[in-house]
Each structure stands twice: as C-alpha cells, then as structure tokens.
Amino acid sequence: MGFLWRWRVTLMATVVGVVAAVMRFATLGYPQALVFDEVFYARGAYSLITIGYEGEWGGENQDFAQGDFSQLTSEGDYVVHPNIGKLMIGWGMKMFGPTPYGWRFMAALVGVATVLMIAFIARQLLRSTLWGGVAGLFLALDGEHIVLSRTALLDIFLTFFVVAAFGLLVVDRHVTSRKIYADAARQRTALGLGATSLIPGGGPNTGIRWWRLASIVVFGLAVSVKWNGLYFAAAFLVLSVIWDWYDRNKAGYVKWFTGGFVRAIPAFLTTVVVIPLVYLASWIPWFRADKAWGRHWAEDNPGEGLTWLPDSLNSLVHYHEQMWTFHQGLDEPHNYESNPWGWPLQLRPTAFYFEDVTDVDCGAERCVSAIHAIGHPLLWWVGAAVLIYAIWRILRHRDMLALTVTAGYLAAWLPWLPLAHRTIFTFYTVTMAPFLVLMLVWAMQRIAKPERLGGRWWKPGVIMCVVYVGLVLIVAGFFTPIWIGEPIPYQYWRLHMWLPSWV
C-alpha cells in the first residue's frame, strides 16, 4: 500500500508540474519587449541588483528591452511598492541576464511552485490524491495565473507567498488537531468517560506551533511584496483560530471557546511583532543606499515627522505616508480599469500586450500577438456559482470545509469592493485563482461522492465531472495563444473575444 500511495502522489505531482511548467516556460522570452507594467518592475529589479536601489530611468521605456541599460541614473526613483517581489525578479536576471527570459524566470518558477502547492493543499483538505491533481491541473490551466506567471509583475509573487503561508497553516491544523483529539481520548480514559461524553476544560496546551510561526513569517514576505498581503494574513490567521475552536468543540471540550481564545493570544502578539519585523527587513537595500528616494528626508527636514524615531526610520515612515497618499489618490481613468464586482466573472480583463506581427507568417493577411490576462472562462464562471453554494453551506450547515476553501477567495476579493472608484485591474484576481480551484474541486467531490451515498461514487456525478474536466482542457487549448502571445490571425484573435467588454 505504501508503494501504491507513493506512486500515485508522484504521478500526480509529475503530471501537474509538467503541465504547469510547459504553460509557463514555453517561449517565455517572447515577446522581446516590456509587457504592460514590466516597465516598472523589470527595470526596478535591474536597478536593485545593479546599483543597490531603484534609480530613475531616462530615454524610451522599450530601450531596456533592446538591451540598452545606459538610461539608468543614480537619482533615486519614487516607487510605491516594497522590495521583495522586485528582488526576486532581479534574481532571475542574475542567473539568465537582463533579458525577457531573465526578468520573467522567477515569475514562472514561483508560478509552477504555486500550482504544485495547491495540488498538495487540495489533496490534504479533500483527503484525495485524485482531487489534488484536478486542483493542480485547473490552476496550471488558468489564464490569469498563466499570464502573471509569464510576466515580471508583483502579483504572482504575492500569490506564491499567500498560498505558501496558507499551506503552512493547513499543516499546522493537521498537527494540532491530532494533538487535540489524542488528548481528548486520554482525558476520557483517565476520567472514565464515554466516547461521546463532554470533557471538562478547554483542551490541551499545544505548545509552540512552529508551522503557524513559519506561516506568519511567510505572510510577512507577502506583505513585503504588496501591502494587500495583510488581508490574507488577517483572514487566514483568524481562520486558524476558528479551526482550533472547531476541533476543540468536536473533540468534546466544554470550554472549547476559552481554550482556543487563550491560545490565540500568543499567536496574535507574535503576528503583530513578526510581520512588521520581516517587512522592515525587506527594506534593507533602501537603508543601505544613500541615494535611494527619501532616504535622508528626516535629516533634510529637522523637527518634522516622528522625531522620536531614528532619522532613518523617520524617513521611512514619511516615505510610506507618501506611498499611502499615492494609492489613495489612484483614480485616473485607464482603458483596462475594472470594477471588482465583475471580477468573479472576469468581465473586464486586462490586455497586457497587442502588436501586429510582420515577421511571422501565421497564414493570414493580418497577424497579431496578443496577451490577455483572462481567467479560464469555464473555471471562473462556474466558480462564481460554486461560491454562492459554498456560502449557503457555511450559513446553513456550518460547513467548515466550505469556509476553508472560500476564505482565500473572499480575502482576495472583498477588500477591493469599497475601492471600486479607484484605478484597479482584473489581473489582481490572480490571488483569487488558487482558492477558486479549491472551491471547484470541493464542489466536484460533493457531486461525484454525494453525502447521501455515504461517500460512494455516484455515476452521473462522475460523468459530469469528467465532462467538465474535458471541456476545461479543450477551452484551455483554445485560449492558450492569447495567454502566451503566440502570433495568430487577427480573425482568430477576434474569436476569443467572447464578451464585448473583453475587446
């Protein structure tokens, strides 16, 4: 049995990993251009690894893509995101040079890693290697995740750290719940209680939870890519407390709420210390660079700001005030801005790249290369319906698994709804994609193995799931050219514009 288990897990990881890698690394160096916001992040990453901080650039944006790096100046550039994502982009350039492949390599690598992590997370949550493989396959074939994995933007790194932190919490829950149930069994034996009798107290002290501590550190890295990593940290760390309450209650402890709450206090205190420390450490390049933007603001403006802080920290706080003001005022019209209410249906996806191609014969009079960050329609549209069902399960049946698989999706989406007036984009939904596929496979498992059959396979449900997976594969093949920028006939590109708002 052990050999069979290892064989199935190895096969799952291999298939999922190969599909994810092919979709992300094939023709990764094309196009030979700065795609969408790579103009900020690829050049910023090059500056970080070259002069140690982000300097201003002169000349034309695309000079960089053609190998002209002479336009980098020593003047500090005003940037509005932390460093970790750009440093990771820079690691790719250190390995493969400042080329399109080099500045996209790390995005592709963490994209593949995220797919594999989701496969194993789904496998743990659903207790099934098969459904873990389906989850990994779905994320491997999702357009949002593919496009962002092939582009040097920050959001794929945020997604990677968020999924990694969530995975660590899943492991923590597995380890901790085993301790809780084992302690409950010992308590019942010691007190001479029956198998279903309630147990006095709030449950065991589970000690230092190293997996949760590691998760908090990784959440700090997520925040060090983009600030909205805080939304995920808050949502998932609260979820871990809810898991604790649930397990203590299910184990039969009378004071399950108090027991879980008391042990949540150290986790909260650890969080409010560790995440800021990790975030502060991510600014080390800025502290070390005399010419970085705003580095000596406090010295140049004596008596201003938080004067009780050291000058370097006072300058950093002022810099963050500027960053916050920028983000709050980001409301200028943009062709591809989108209302977050439409994100679950991908109503206004972001066009990253669109150029006529003259040096490739695509078999038509007009050939184009287009990259659209469009989520796989069959995944996202069905996922919106599954979300409604999952919320009903949570409210009506207090379904803990439904809450678990929807928490990340909601954490990635709900905080943006009050900001609908801002200039925001659908490609931010790449952070929703991993949790979208968790919701989908959770629902598919319930269809294929309905509760009323006691976990046995239901043939009509199995057929529906197999047909759905087949359709997902077919549609993914159809959309792949506009996810990777493959030169295609213009009319073929038009066939992909299923909604007027996609054009």
Side-chain angles (χ1 to χ4, degrees), residues 129-152:
T129 301
L130 172 64
W131 294 115
V134 174
L137 181 65
F138 281 179
L139 187 59
L141 297 175
D142 176 60
E144 287 287 358
H145 200 266
I146 290 169
V147 172
L148 272 296
S149 297
R150 297 174 57 89
T151 315

Side-chain angles (χ1 to χ4, degrees), residues 52 186 203 209 259 316 333 437:
R186 286 193 297 268
R209 293 168 61 167
L316 185 63
V437 302

Side-chain angles (χ1 to χ4, degrees), residues 188 192-198:
R188 285 194 173 93
L193 299 175
T196 59
S197 300
L198 296 179

